[in-house]
Every structure is written in structure tokens, then in C-alpha cells.
DNA sequence: AAGAAATTGAGGTGCGCACCTCAAAAAAAC
DNA sequence: GTTTTTTTGAGGTGCGCACCTCAATTTCTT
């Protein structure tokens, strides 16, 4: 009836509590036979450590940190909000979460910052930053110091030994392509593609996914070269306008950057008469509103709340030396229409 | 530096540990002044009970139960699988989950079963069952007995005092309508709609949502009356065939029931030449495969794993007398294409 | 003012485990 | 066979809280 305790386990294994404790906690000086006996008994009586007792006895705080860009778009704000929420909720669960905002586009500064993170201060770090060899090295060294790393929402080339939280950007691009292709039907036309920069790995993969679908399945459509805004509003508005004027047969636009306000506004200003299909990334107050007002047609999103919680769960599991549950930690590529917002 | 403990709290409040304990656990014989002092001190020093210690001291198991239909489709199997998974994971977290499979379409039997659930045996129950006044009463009585109820994935009319886990079926139907409308473009045509039965509230709401979008936004399309399969394969195949033959201008099909194998197979048999758009509900091995093979175009899904975990989290929160975190517990209407499976 | 009732304090126990020490027993090495 | 090393056992402490008892103090009654 009652859950078996370690004492029951010791009895079942025919050993003392001390030996059982040694086996359970991988302490030295245990014979192979004892290990076997204990494991057998665990199976036999169905023993589980009471996690509450473990936490209490270890009396340890989980200390996790998010390293995020210092400036960014609305999506970043959403993300920060979710981290704060999670932090609040987890305060009562022995988990302390801090956020460092760093100019992540400066590899020097970022890797210096990463180098300054001590194992004494933190158990796990979730980093969202663009790729660079320096950063990659800094991350590797972080892991060597025994800190559990989560590569958070894209950026770096995947380190094999680190966990990753985020979507498959090739698939995300492909999904955008499929939506645009199907919404346009058989009419031929051109597709405008806007990115903040094509240096980032995310943009490259999205573009590849997008191209692959359009080229294979929608031969009537032609993808224009990617427009890069460099986060500059004036530049963005100008080049979008120019491209729209030179290509009256543009039927759709794919905004790959998480910041969609500037491109969408620019497009809408110059296409009053034409109704072109627009697909953007990430759910933000702006994109949500735009979807509601029929300014855009679809949002391809990854739920930031999910991502944050998933990263935390993974860091927690790693700290406990457990395997994360893969199925639960996969971030879905969400397709949002006005109807399922 | 250290987390404040109850002892620190007592000191800060200028009271004894015993009184603090009385306040924290709502025990009798405490003056209003003491309550005030303690609450003030809690705010001041930022006290949180160590949940691990609470669980350990209370030494109590969470006992939750899922009441599900006894027979059903692949989606039900998925659901059972997810419940088993969660049950396995939570075994190590003092949570015990049982499943009762009941012929939920027999209100007598179901309400008798619900009546037999004792508060001594279970802290919370998640019920998935079609609506009926009898069942509704049985559920109300269940709650009066102090058992926390979650209305699980549709079925009953919502009880105000109970929690609900599931999607908005009107919105789900609307989403299906939007997809079909946009995929078909401007071509006029008819849409076939298949349900298991139109008695169930879910089907009715999905149909209403679907109709509202098609009628408002896609005037070229006409929705045919709902075909009811009653879960009978032969009947389903026959009526689908008949309707397809009588309506050569059918351009799309919306399968509302979670069982999509029979209708999709029937449709594909009789539309080799025509390529009609098919939207189905729920991700199952069949629907997933069909999407991969281009037999269908879109799946509207609600993640069963999510739903199960959400129901458990809610029952747990209620048992702890905490508020569930609403934002985390909302089940999304997922739009699945081949690309974002 | 005396008795009754309500409130507070002091102190103990147990929840299940981690972590520690010291002695005893068993196995290995010589 | 003796010494060294390894393995085991017994026992204790503390983690932070819930829950209980009994006595002491305060507040309310009349």
C-alpha cells in the first residue's frame, strides 16, 4: 500500500541502509554484487526515491540563467516577459532564474561574458545568440566547466553535446512556402522575401526551406532575392517600395525576421489596390493585431512561453542527471490564422 | 542569502513558530492581529514555503483519475498512451493516475460510475464524455463531494465551477473553413462534411464555426448537409460514395470526427481523377501518414499529450488550492501541414 | 474580581532522504 | 598467517515543514 522507502529497499536487498545509500548516490566502495542486489530489489519492489525528500535533503537551489540580446524586437520583449513569468512561478520551486542581456551581435563581448559565468553561480545557461566561432568556443568551455547549456531558439551552429530548444527553421520556411503556394493557387507571380540579415543561420535555413517548396511544388511562382533590412526602418521602407514598384506581379510576401511591423506597413502602403498574401514569423502584439485586421494572412510562430519552460525543464533535468523527455520538449511550428489565434 | 524559513518568518513577525504555523495552515484560534502580522512579514521578507518540505511533511499522494470512453478511435488510443506516459513520469512525483474506461455514451452507466467515485480514493477526476443532464448532475455531485473536476476535451456543457481542458470547437471549425476556402481560391464548388454523429456538442460547434466562415468569406462555396457515419464503416463508405456521385462539383471535404480513416479512404476511392481538398481532425498514425502521402491536405489537431498534462497540472493546482496558470493551460488549435508535422 | 474562553508559546515527532563518521567484517595482497 | 585494502553496517544529523500536546498568558464574561 505505502510507497516503499529506502529502508524497505535495504530490507528487500538484504543489505544495510548505508550500502543502499552508497548505491543510490554512486558513492565509492561498493561491490558489484551489492549494486546488482540493490538494482534487482528496486525492480522487484518498484522503488522510487521520493523527490520531495531528495530535494529537501540536498537542500539545493537550481540556478539558471538566460543570456539574451540586449536590444531587439517585440518578440524579444515577449520572451523576456515569459522568462519573468516562469521565474515568478518557479520561485516557489527552488529555482532561481536570472537574465543577462548582452549585445549578442558582438562576439567579443558575448564570449567574454560567457567566460565570466562560474559553475559556482549557475547550474545551467540558455543562450540565444548568433553564430560565431568565438562564441562557439566560449560555449564549449562553459560546458567543460560543468555548466549545462541549452542553445536557445536558434543562433549557433548546434553543438553536439548541448541541448537545443527551438524549431527546425528549414521546416518553418517550408511551411511558409506551402501556405503561400496554396493560398495563391495556380496564378503565376513573384514572391518578395524580407529578412533582417541573411548572415544569420536562421534566415538562411528558412529561405532554403521556403525555396525548396516553392520550386518543387509551385512552378508558377518565382522567389525574388532576399531583401535585407539591417533593422533600419528607413532603408527597409525604401527598398520594399522600390521592389514593389519594379515588380507589379508580386503576389505574396514572406517576412522572415521576427520584426514584421516595418515591412508589413511598407507593403500595405504600396499595395492598396493589390491584395497580396503576407506570411510573417512570430506572434507579437503587432502581428496578432495585423492578423485580426486582415493585414496579413498567416503567422508562423514558435510559442515563446513553451520555449522558455522547455529550456528550464531541460536544464533542470540535466542538473538532476536525468534525461529530458524528448517528446514534450519539441517546439512546434505553429500556423496561426485569424481563426485560431 | 538563504531562503527564509518559517523560523525566520516567526522572528520577523515577532511571533512564535506555533502561531505562524497556525496562520499558514488556517488552523483555528488565531487572532486577527496575528494573521495580519504574519502576512505583513511574509511580504516583507519574501517568504515562500519550501514545497518539497510541505510535500514531505504532509506525506500525501495525489490521486487523479481519467474517465474515458471504453471504445473509440485511434485518437483515443493516443490519449490512453499519453496518460500512461504521464503516469509513468509522475510516479516519481507522488502522483498516481488511474484510468477508468466506461461506455460513456450510456448516461446511466456513466453517472452510476461517477457516483461511485469517493473522495477518499481520488483527489481529482478528468472526464471525457458526451453531454447529458444525468451526467451533468453526477458531475455536480462529484464536485460537491470535494473532488476536483476537469471537463476533458469536450463533451459536456461547461459547468461553471469546473475547469475545462480542450479547444474551442467553433474556432476549430472556423479554422478548417478558412483553410479550405483559401486553398480552393475563387472557384465555386461544394463542400462535403462528414461527422460521426451530429448529436455531439463538438460536432455541432465545429459545423457552426465552419459554416460561419464559408458563408461569410467564401460565397462561391456551398456546404452540403453533414453526413453521419454513426461509426459504421459500411454505411460511411456507402453514403460518401453516393454523395460524391450525385455532386460532381464537390471540391473539398471536411471530416469532423476524430476517426478519419474510413471517410478519407472512401473519398479517395471515388475521386481518383478529381483532386479535392481534405481537412481532417486530430493527429493519429493514419492522418499523419495520409498527410505525408498527400492523401489529405491539413490536419486540425489538439495535442493529446498537452491536454493530458494540462489536466493533471490543473487537478494538482486545485488540490494544492492554487490557481492554475491560465496561459499555460490553453490548448492550441494546431494547423498541421505536411511541412510542419 | 473570579472564572471561562480564547490566544499564544515551547517543545516534540515524523516525513524520506543525503551525507557523515567510526567501527566491524570480509576480501585481497604479501 | 599477517597485513593491507575494500566493503559493509550501525548510527547520527539536518533539510523545512505539518501536526500534535500541554502549559502559560491574555482577553472576554458576568
Amino acid at each position: 500500500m505505502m510507497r516503499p522507502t529506502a529502508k524497505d529497499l535495504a530490507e528487500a536487498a538484504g543489505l544495510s541502509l548505508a550500502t543502499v545509500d552508497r548505491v543510490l548516490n554512486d558513492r565509492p566502495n561498493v561491490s558489484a554484487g551489492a549494486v546488482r542486489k540493490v538494482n534487482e530489489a528496486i525492480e522487484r519492489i518498484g522503488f522510487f526515491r521520493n523527490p520531495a525528500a531528495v530535494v529537501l535533503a540536498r537542500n539545493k537551489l537550481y540556478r539558471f540563467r538566460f543570456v539574451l540580446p540586449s536590444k531587439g524586437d517585440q518578440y524579444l520583449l515577449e520572451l523576456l516577459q515569459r522568462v519573468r513569468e516562469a521565474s515568478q512561478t518557479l520561485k516557489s520551486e527552488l529555482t532561481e532564474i536570472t537574465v543577462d542581456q548582452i549585445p549578442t551581435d558582438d562576439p567579443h563581448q558575448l564570449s567574454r561574458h560567457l567566460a565570466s559565468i562560474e559553475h559556482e553561480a549557475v547550474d545551467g545557461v540558455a543562450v540565444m545568440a548568433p553564430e560565431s566561432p568565438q562564441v562557439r568556443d566560449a560555449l564549449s568551455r562553459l560546458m567543460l566547466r560543468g555548466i549545462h547549456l541549452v542553445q536557445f531558439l536558434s543562433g549557433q551552429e548546434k553543438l553536439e553535446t548541448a541541448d537545443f530548444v527551438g524549431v527546425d527553421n528549414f521546416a518553418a520556411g517550408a511551411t511558409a512556402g506551402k501556405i503561400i503556394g496554396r493560398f495563391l493557387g495556380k496564378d503565376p507571380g513573384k514572391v518578395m522575401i524580407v529578412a533582417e540579415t541573411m548572415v544569420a543561420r536562421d534566415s538562411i535555413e528558412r529561405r532554403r526551406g521556403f525555396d525548396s517548396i516553392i520550386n518543387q511544388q509551385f512552378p508558377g511562382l518565382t522567389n525574388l532575392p532576399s531583401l535585407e533590412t539591417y533593422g533600419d526602418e528607413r532603408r527597409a521602407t525604401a527598398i520594399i517600395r522600390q521592389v514593389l514598384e519594379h515588380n507589379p506581379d508580386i503576389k505574396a510576401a514572406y517576412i522572415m525576421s521576427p520584426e514584421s511591423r516595418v515591412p508589413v506597413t511598407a507593403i500595405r502602403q504600396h499595395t492598396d489596390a493589390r491584395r497580396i498574401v503576407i506570411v510573417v514569423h512570430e506572434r507579437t502584439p503587432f502581428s496578432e493585431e495585423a492578423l485580426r485586421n486582415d493585414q496579413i494572412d498567416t503567422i508562423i510562430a514558435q510559442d515563446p512561453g513553451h520555449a522558455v519552460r522547455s529550456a528550464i525543464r531541460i536544464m533542470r533535468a540535466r542538473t538532476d542527471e536525468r534525461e529530458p523527455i524528448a517528446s514534450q520538449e519539441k517546439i512546434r511550428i505553429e500556423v496561426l490564422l485569424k481563426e485560431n489565434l
Side-chain angles (χ1 to χ4, degrees), chain A:
Chain A
M1 202 63 231
M2 279 294 295
R3 252 175 93 96
T5 70
K7 201 173 147 192
D8 301 328
L9 179 58
E11 204 168 312
L15 292 168
S16 71
L17 247 171
T19 304
V20 165
D21 173 74
R22 290 182 179 103
V23 174
L24 288 180
N25 297 291
D26 286 324
R27 293 185 218 287
N29 296 326
V30 200
S31 67
V35 173
R36 195 181 39 71
K37 278 196 220 165
V38 170
N39 287 328
E40 256 177 37
I42 288 180
E43 288 300 317
R44 189 147 41 80
I45 68 174
F47 171 79
F48 284 95
R49 281 193 260 207
N50 183 325
V54 172
V55 169
L56 189 59
R58 290 207 178 112
N59 191 28
K60 132 173 218 298
L61 261 182
Y62 296 89
R63 281 140 33 259
F64 300 137
R65 181 168 300 174
F66 281 81
V67 176
L68 303 177
S70 55
K71 57 179 182 192
D73 39 49
Q74 280 190 329
Y75 187 65
L76 179 64
L77 295 181
E78 287 285 320
L79 217 46
L80 286 169
Q81 182 56 31
R82 301 304 159 188
V83 174
R84 268 192 294 273
E85 271 179 31
S87 163
Q88 193 57 37
T89 316
L90 294 175
K91 219 186 259 180
S92 62
E93 293 188 31
L94 306 176
T95 305
E96 181 188 274
I97 295 172
T98 52
V99 178
D100 289 350
Q101 289 197 265
I102 304 291
T104 45
D105 40 357
D106 175 357
H108 277 75
Q109 198 169 339
L110 176 58
S111 48
R112 239 192 348 211
H113 181 81
L114 292 174
S116 77
I117 298 178
E118 305 283 348
H119 188 14
E120 284 69 43
V122 160
D123 300 304
V125 177
V127 179
M128 173 178 177
E131 183 177 6
S132 97
Q134 259 188 66
V135 169
R136 193 184 150 88
D137 282 359
L139 291 175
S140 298
R141 280 196 297 272
L142 200 69
M143 299 182 67
L144 288 179
R145 260 174 281 148
I147 298 176
H148 301 284
L149 172 64
V150 171
Q151 297 188 281
F152 190 57
L153 297 186
S154 85
Q156 322 84 334
E157 186 180 355
K158 313 261 184 308
L159 294 169
E160 285 197 2
T161 44
D163 290 296
F164 170 73
V165 168
V167 302
D168 174 348
N169 279 307
F170 184 91
T175 304
K178 183 65 156 282
I179 291 278
I180 285 181
R182 295 291 314 242
F183 278 17
L184 289 179
K186 289 167 282 317
D187 306 347
K190 289 183 181 155
V191 182
M192 176 163 72
I193 297 170
V194 182
E196 193 167 316
T197 159
M198 288 307 288
V199 174
R201 172 170 292 264
D202 321 8
S203 306
I204 298 173
E205 289 183 3
R206 286 179 183 171
R207 170 87 210 210
R208 280 184 46 236
F210 189 81
D211 285 352
S212 82
I213 289 292
I214 296 292
N215 294 339
Q216 282 169 34
Q217 300 183 21
F218 304 99
L221 297 178
T222 310
N223 292 339
L224 296 176
S226 308
L227 302 181
E228 298 177 271
T229 66
Y230 301 133
D232 177 339
E233 179 157 353
R234 292 246 294 285
R235 173 192 159 89
T237 307
I239 57 177
I240 286 171
R241 176 186 180 167
Q242 187 184 340
V243 169
L244 281 172
E245 281 171 0
H246 282 68
N247 298 277
D249 51 347
I250 284 179
K251 294 280 173 45
Y254 174 35
I255 318 294
M256 292 197 298
S257 60
E259 206 298 301
S260 53
R261 189 181 54 80
V262 172
V264 168
T265 308
I267 292 171
R268 283 300 169 226
Q269 269 173 15
H270 299 282
T271 55
D272 278 349
R274 291 187 263 166
R275 180 67 182 82
I276 82 171
V277 171
I278 304 185
V279 173
V280 309
H281 269 277
E282 309 315 349
R283 178 182 193 142
T284 65
F286 170 78
S287 65
E288 206 173 300
E289 190 56 24
L291 195 55
R292 287 223 164 78
N293 294 341
D294 297 313
Q295 301 241 335
I296 61 177
D297 298 87
T298 303
I299 300 173
I300 308 291
Q302 48 187 340
D303 184 329
H306 247 177
V308 167
R309 288 187 295 267
S310 181
I312 293 171
R313 273 195 302 266
I314 289 176
M315 290 190 282
R316 204 195 232 279
R318 292 296 180 201
T319 306
D320 289 345
E321 296 182 348
R322 297 190 332 260
E323 273 303 305
I325 308 166
S327 69
Q328 188 177 349
E329 306 312 348
K330 195 181 163 201
I331 307 291
R332 304 208 49 78
I333 299 171
E334 295 181 359
V335 174
L336 301 181
L337 307 172
K338 189 179 179 180
E339 285 68 26
N340 70 332
L341 255 179

